[in-house]
Amino acid sequence: MRNTILTIFIGITIAFGVLVYFIPQIGTIILLSISGLLSIIAIYDSIQTQHSLLRAFPLVARLRWLFEEERDKIQQYFIEDNLNGTPINREKRSVVYQRAKLEKDTVPFGTQHNVYAKGYEFVKHSLFPKDHHHIEGEKVVFGSDKCAQKYESSIINISAMSFGSLSKNAIMALNQGAKMDNFAHNTGEGGISPYHLQGGDLIFQVGTGYFGAGKSVNGQRVFDDAIFKENAIRPEVKMIEIKFSQGAKPGHGGILPAKKNTEEIAKIRAVEPFTQVDSPPSHSAFSDFEGMITFIQKVRELSGGKPVGIKFCVGNNEEIEEMFKAFSDTNNYPDFVSIDGGEGGTGAAPLEFTNYIGTPLVEGLVFVNKLLVKYKLKNQIKIIASGKAVDAFDIIRYVALGADAIGMARSFMLSLGCIQARECNLDTCPVGVATQDNDLVKALVVEKKNVRVKNYHSKTITAVKEITAAMGVASIADIKPDDVFRRRKDEEIVSLKEVYYN
C-alpha cells in the first residue's frame, strides 16, 4: 500500500508539472505546489521510523489522527442523543444554557426518559400543592456552637475551581454572578486571586499545597499562620474549607499542568512558573485525627471565628467513622463537611483515579449523614454535597438524602458557555473558560457571562421551589428520603428511604 500511495501522489505531481509547462497560469502553479508538498510529506512519512501506520500508509494515515483529535466533538454534535452523552448529557446541558440566557426551558411532547426502566427516579406531587413564591429553605445557616461568625448561604453555591484551572475572566464572571444573586463562590485550592475579589462571597479553600495559606520550606509545602490569616480575615471570605481530597482524584492531590502555570498564577501560589504543580496527597500540618481537630480549631481562631469545614470524597468507611467519633469524643468539630463524589469533577486527573477510586456521591452522602445522626452531630455540622448536580431534581434528590446545601462546578462552567469540549487539561478550551491562553480567554466576555451565572442560579432556585411546592412541602429543608422514589424492578417502586435508610 505504501508504494501505491507514493506512486499516486508522485504521479499527480508529475501530471501537474506537465500541465504547468503547457499552461503556465497561477491556478496550475498552485495545484503543482499543493501536490508537490503532499508528495514530500508522503515520502517523509514512508521513511520515518517512529510511526508504523504512517510508514505503511503515508499521508493517508494522518486522517486517523485528525478524526481521533475531533472524535469527541463529532460524537457530541452528530452521534449522541439527548440522554446518552457523558459526563453531562445534552438535555441537562441545554437546560443550563436556556436558564443562563433566560430562554424558554420547557419541553414539548412528553419525556424522553424511559419511565419504566430500572433506576428511573421521580417525586410524587400533592393534590394540594403550595404556592412556590412562599416556599422557604433557599438559605442555610453555617456555623456550629464553636463558631463566632455564622454565615447564611444559598443552598446552591459554586463549587471549588481554582484560578489556574479556570481563566481570570471565568473567575471574575463567576464571582460577579455570585454577588448579583447573593450566593457563595469557592476559590478552589489555588488561593485567592484579584479576580476572586469582585464583591462576591468567598469560601476560601485550603488544600494540601497551602496555596494562599503557606509557603515552601526545603521543597515541602507548609502551612503558615500569618499568610493564611491575611487571606482568611478578608471581608469577602465567609467560610474556610480544608480540602483532604476531591472526587476527580481522591488521595492524589491537585494537578496544575505546566502550560497553565503562568507567571501570574505562580506568583499567587508561590511556586515556579511554567512547571507542573502537583499538590501533595496529604497535609503536612497534621497526620492524625487529634492533629486534625487541633488544626481545625487553629484555623477557626486565625480567621476570627468563621465557619470552618472539611472537604473529602468518602473512602475507607471505618476511617471516616473514626473521624466523626473523634469529633464527638472531643466535643470539637468542623462547622460543615463537603462531600465530593468519586464520579469526578472539573479537575484533570489520572484515568484510574477518575474511574475507579472514591465512593460515588450518593453512597458517600448517605453514609456521612448516618454518621452525623449516630454521633448526634447533625445539628452542628452541615453537609454540602458536590457531584454533577445540574437541574432542580438533582438538588431535590441530594437534599432528600441528607444534604443541607449543594456545590456545583461543571454546571456553572456550562452557564459561562462551556461546550464540554473536554480540553480543560490541555489549555485549549475553545470558549475561554478553562485556559490561560490570552487569545482564548478574551473570547469570554465577563460583562455578558456574569449575568448568565446569576440567571442560572436564580432560575434553578426557582425550579427547586416549584418542585417543592408541587410536592406539597412548605420548605426545601423538609424534603425527606421517603419523598423521592426509584423503580427498582419492573413492577417495584420504592422510596429512597427504603433503599438507603432501612
Side-chain angles (χ1 to χ4, degrees):
M1 181 57 74
R2 174 173 59 182
N3 292 337
T4 302
I5 293 172
L6 289 174
T7 299
I8 290 172
F9 279 106
I10 293 172
I12 291 173
T13 301
I14 292 173
F16 281 134
V18 172
L19 191 61
V20 167
Y21 180 79
F22 289 103
I23 311 175
Q25 296 179 351
I26 186 67
T28 55
I29 293 173
I30 291 173
L31 290 174
L32 174 62
S33 300
I34 293 172
S35 63
L37 177 62
L38 293 177
S39 296
I40 292 171
I41 294 173
I43 292 169
Y44 170 78
D45 288 347
S46 69
I47 61 176
Q48 57 81 39
T49 57
Q50 189 173 0
H51 301 287
S52 301
L53 195 62
L54 277 181
R55 281 176 63 84
F57 300 90
L59 193 63
V60 176
R62 292 179 180 269
L63 291 174
R64 174 181 180 272
W65 294 345
L66 174 64
F67 293 140
E68 202 170 56
E69 180 74 20
E70 301 302 319
R71 179 178 180 275
D72 284 345
K73 300 180 184 67
I74 292 170
Q75 181 165 323
Q76 181 182 143
Y77 295 137
F78 301 111
I79 299 174
E80 72 177 44
D81 62 27
N82 283 347
L83 302 180
N84 68 1
T86 59
I88 297 175
N89 65 41
R90 180 175 293 277
E91 182 180 73
K92 285 185 177 288
R93 296 198 305 270
S94 295
V95 80
V96 176
Y97 299 145
Q98 289 158 356
R99 288 175 177 166
K101 299 175 185 178
L102 296 182
E103 294 176 350
K104 187 181 293 294
D105 61 353
T106 55
V107 293
F109 223 66
T111 181
Q112 296 184 56
H113 293 255
N114 181 358
V115 300
Y116 299 102
K118 179 180 177 181
Y120 174 75
E121 293 180 338
F122 61 100
V123 296
K124 293 184 179 180
H125 64 284
S126 170
L127 287 174
F128 306 99
K130 307 287 186 182
D131 181 345
H132 80 271
H133 295 95
H134 299 141
I135 295 299
E136 299 178 344
E138 67 181 276
K139 297 287 187 178
V140 57
V141 177
F142 287 86
S144 67
D145 58 7
K146 312 298 179 187
C147 173
Q149 297 189 49
K150 292 179 171 55
Y151 172 59
E152 185 179 64
S153 161
S154 170
I155 59 166
I156 300 174
N157 298 296
I158 301 170
S159 197
M161 294 179 286
S162 302
F163 172 49
S165 173
L166 300 191
S167 69
K168 62 182 182 182
N169 284 16
I171 295 293
M172 284 194 287
L174 289 171
N175 195 261
Q176 291 175 16
K179 180 184 179 182
M180 290 176 182
D181 213 40
N182 194 26
F183 60 105
H185 177 197
N186 193 309
T187 64
E189 70 170 317
I192 299 175
S193 71
Y195 313 111
H196 288 99
L197 303 175
Q198 305 293 308
D201 291 349
L202 292 178
I203 302 172
F204 176 26
Q205 187 181 87
V206 178
T208 55
Y210 303 124
F211 305 121
K215 57 189 177 183
S216 296
V217 177
N218 297 325
Q220 183 183 37
R221 295 294 300 178
V222 297
F223 183 81
D224 183 276
D225 291 14
I227 295 174
F228 167 76
K229 184 175 181 179
E230 182 181 356
N231 279 317
I233 63 174
R234 291 177 184 272
E236 297 90 349
V237 173
K238 304 302 182 182
M239 301 203 296
I240 315 296
E241 182 179 82
I242 303 167
K243 189 183 91 166
F244 285 80
S245 60
Q246 64 187 95
K249 42 188 176 293
H252 187 282
I255 302 172
L256 179 66
K259 210 172 181 183
K260 299 177 78 171
N261 182 22
T262 64
E263 291 184 1
E264 182 181 28
I265 291 164
K267 185 177 180 180
I268 292 169
R269 298 194 181 203
V271 296
E272 286 294 317
F274 306 112
T275 60
Q276 179 165 306
V277 180
D278 295 322
S279 300
S282 60
H283 283 266
S284 62
F286 53 88
S287 57
D288 55 27
F289 293 128
E290 181 181 356
M292 176 205 298
I293 293 169
T294 301
F295 184 73
I296 290 172
Q297 185 58 34
K298 176 183 181 178
V299 165
R300 185 182 280 131
E301 291 170 357
L302 287 171
S303 68
K306 294 177 180 179
V308 176
I310 58 175
K311 175 182 179 177
F312 57 89
C313 175
V314 172
N316 185 303
N317 284 13
E318 290 77 15
E319 191 177 52
I320 299 295
E321 179 160 6
E322 185 182 350
M323 177 177 68
F324 281 96
K325 184 177 185 301
F327 293 153
S328 178
D329 290 346
T330 60
N331 192 34
N332 202 350
Y333 28 76
D335 302 285
F336 66 93
V337 291
S338 295
I339 310 301
D340 218 357
E343 50 267 48
T346 60
L351 178 71
E352 296 86 351
F353 278 77
T354 291
N355 288 345
Y356 307 114
I357 298 182
T359 304
L361 176 61
V362 168
E363 286 75 15
L365 170 60
V366 169
F367 178 65
V368 169
N369 192 48
K370 287 179 177 178
L371 290 179
L372 289 179
V373 173
K374 178 177 179 179
Y375 291 102
K376 298 179 173 58
L377 294 170
K378 184 66 177 172
N379 292 332
Q380 300 293 340
I381 301 176
K382 295 292 191 293
I383 298 177
I384 300 175
S386 177
K388 213 163 69 170
V390 176
D391 61 21
F393 180 76
D394 295 332
I395 294 160
I396 294 287
R397 182 166 169 256
Y398 291 157
V399 169
L401 291 172
D404 298 288
I406 312 299
M408 298 161 67
R410 281 172 284 191
S411 48
F412 275 109
M413 289 176 68
L414 291 169
S415 75
L416 288 172
C418 167
I419 59 172
Q420 197 169 275
R422 300 182 68 195
E423 297 178 8
C424 312
N425 60 328
L426 302 178
D427 201 37
T428 55
C429 172
V431 292
V433 175
T435 178
Q436 301 307 318
D437 184 305
N438 286 328
D439 289 337
L440 294 172
V441 171
K442 290 175 184 176
L444 197 160
V445 181
V446 176
E447 293 75 17
K448 299 291 184 181
K449 302 301 185 181
N450 56 11
V451 177
R452 294 188 182 182
V453 171
K454 177 259 183 188
N455 290 342
Y456 171 61
H457 179 269
S458 177
K459 294 283 284 184
T460 304
I461 289 286
T462 299
V464 171
K465 287 183 174 182
E466 289 176 337
I467 295 177
T468 305
M471 295 164 64
V473 180
S475 173
I476 300 165
D478 292 336
I479 297 171
K480 304 301 179 190
D482 49 8
D483 291 323
V484 183
F485 296 85
R486 177 184 297 172
R487 184 178 292 281
R488 189 152 62 181
K489 297 178 183 177
D490 287 345
E491 299 177 355
E492 182 184 14
I493 291 175
V494 296
S495 72
L496 294 190
K497 181 178 180 181
E498 294 175 82
V499 177
Y500 294 109
Y501 285 99
N502 279 353

